[in-house]
Amino acid sequence: MLRYTVEKQLEIAEPYGEVVEVGQVPGQIGFFPSCGPFKCTGEQRTGCLFCPVGCHLFVRLKAYNPKLYDFCMEELGERKLLS
């Protein structure tokens, strides 16, 4: 999937950062086509935003999308579940 993202020059969600070839420095320009393997410079997986199983991701969600974080904490009751 990451190779397809690179080949088609698709944008990905901000929390994932950039898709780079393993060993490549972010922002580095290559002269040859990438052949992988690939990784993301940000989050490798995010899971479901509304699931408290990935509670460590709420810290990152607060930075990326404070409005959605507040919704999860207050409207969905996640703050009560996590305390």
Side-chain angles (χ1 to χ4, degrees), residues 49-50 70-79 81:
L49 291 174
F50 308 108
D70 289 340
F71 175 80
C72 289
M73 291 297 125
E74 304 307 326
E75 301 299 321
L76 298 180
E78 299 288 349
R79 186 179 315 278
L81 285 173

Side-chain angles (χ1 to χ4, degrees), residues 8-63:
K8 301 298 181 185
Q9 299 177 343
L10 301 174
E11 291 184 25
I12 59 173
E14 184 180 341
Y16 295 106
E18 297 178 48
V19 178
V20 296
E21 198 166 353
V22 173
Q24 177 185 3
V25 177
Q28 177 182 2
I29 297 173
F31 295 104
F32 302 103
S34 297
C35 56
F38 298 94
K39 68 173 187 165
C40 295
T41 59
E43 301 294 335
Q44 300 303 307
R45 295 173 166 244
T46 57
C48 177
L49 291 174
F50 308 108
C51 178
V53 171
C55 61
H56 65 285
L57 295 174
F58 281 121
V59 175
R60 295 183 180 123
L61 178 61
K62 187 175 184 178

